[in-house]
Amino acid sequence: MSENVDSQVEEVSPEVYRRRRIVAVLILVLVLLLIIGLISWLAGRGNSSDNATATASTSTSAEAFSDFSQRATESATPSESAEASESASASESASAEASESATASESAEATESAEPTESAEATESAEPTASASPTEAVVAACTAADLQVSLTADRNSYAAGQNPALAVTYTNTSGNPCIVTGGVNNVDVNITSGPAQVYNYAQCYANPVEDAEVAAGATNTTALTWNRSLNVLGCNTSATIQPGYYWATATVNGVTSQPVRIIVTG
């Protein structure tokens, strides 16, 4: 009895298994069809909404332009076409006149706005020229902080008949140009013997000249000769010095050099 039951179970089981698989496949197909139908329904509903929106927009646009008359069509009568042409010609004429008046207005405005601009440019270009002159003229006079002055003699001692030859050298040691009042001849050589005044070059020989500008780092030299005259007694005196020791100093623009000893032996 048990053997028969087992054989029946073995024979029925594959068939049941196949039926169950078929049922499962059918259920899966139905589910897919339901999903596809749901998606189609949703898509159709969205399209309906878009069509309704488009219809509403079209209605609104039509309402907004309902006051405008329709353009002439091919079936319009000749009189209507003529009236439309005359209206168009009038509109074009009015547009042309408006364009001409606008062009004239723009030309006038451009002309008015150009004149102040040209005047302003002329004023701006003239201002630097006017202000350049004072800038070029501002050069300070040389001071002791700018000049280095030295005096040299051509020899240490002078015999009878030999006149001392002296050289006054001044250098602008600053980084800026400066003015030497009276130019290169604005030098003074003073000679003394002890406390007594003997000779002064500027008193009789220096002539007034124009101011001279000395560039930064530039050096100028002025040479002169002492004829041994004792001009402390006057520029036209014929008195001459006696043999002895003399001290000479040079001054340029108020800056004085170190003294140089001059020995006269005869």
Side-chain angles (χ1 to χ4, degrees):
M1 182 70 180
S2 59
E3 292 177 357
N4 294 331
V5 172
D6 293 336
S7 61
Q8 290 177 359
V9 170
E10 290 177 358
E11 293 176 358
V12 171
S13 294
E15 183 67 21
V16 171
Y17 179 72
R18 283 194 296 273
R19 291 177 181 178
R20 289 177 179 178
R21 290 184 62 183
I22 292 170
V23 171
V25 170
L26 292 175
I27 292 172
L28 180 60
V29 170
L30 290 174
V31 170
L32 290 175
L33 291 174
L34 289 174
I35 292 173
I36 293 171
L38 180 61
I39 293 173
S40 299
W41 179 76
L42 291 175
R45 188 175 181 179
N47 292 331
S48 299
S49 300
D50 293 338
N51 293 331
T53 304
T55 303
S57 300
T58 304
S59 301
T60 304
S61 301
E63 292 177 358
F65 293 92
S66 60
D67 295 336
F68 287 87
S69 59
Q70 297 180 354
R71 297 180 60 182
T73 60
E74 294 178 356
S75 60
T77 59
S79 59
E80 291 176 352
S81 301
E83 290 177 358
S85 300
E86 291 175 358
S87 300
S89 301
S91 300
E92 292 175 356
S93 301
S95 300
E97 291 176 357
S99 300
E100 292 176 356
S101 60
T103 304
S105 301
E106 291 176 356
S107 300
E109 290 176 359
T111 304
E112 292 176 357
S113 60
E115 293 178 355
T117 303
E118 293 175 354
S119 301
E121 291 177 354
T123 304
E124 291 176 358
S125 61
E127 288 178 359
T129 304
S131 60
S133 298
T135 303
E136 294 176 356
V138 176
V139 178
C142 298
T143 63
D146 305 320
L147 289 182
Q148 182 178 356
V149 180
S150 62
L151 176 66
T152 56
D154 61 338
R155 60 183 65 189
N156 292 327
S157 62
Y158 299 89
Q162 295 177 338
N163 293 330
L166 306 174
V168 182
T169 302
Y170 56 92
T171 303
N172 180 3
T173 58
S174 69
N176 300 308
C178 63
I179 295 294
V180 170
T181 306
V184 295
N185 289 330
N186 183 30
V187 296
D188 187 12
V189 174
N190 192 62
I191 300 176
T192 60
S193 178
Q197 178 73 30
V198 175
Y199 176 83
N200 184 265
Y201 173 76
Q203 179 177 337
C204 299
Y205 297 101
N207 297 321
V209 294
E210 295 181 356
D211 296 348
E213 180 177 321
V214 184
T219 298
N220 290 330
T221 300
T222 299
L224 55 93
T225 301
W226 178 30
N227 60 1
R228 297 193 181 201
S229 65
L230 194 65
N231 72 353
V232 68
L233 303 177
C235 293
N236 295 323
T237 183
S238 59
T240 57
I241 61 170
Q242 297 297 320
Y245 291 85
Y246 299 89
W247 293 95
T249 56
T251 302
V252 178
N253 239 41
V255 183
T256 302
S257 69
Q258 293 294 325
V260 174
R261 187 175 66 174
I262 297 175
I263 302 173
V264 177
T265 60

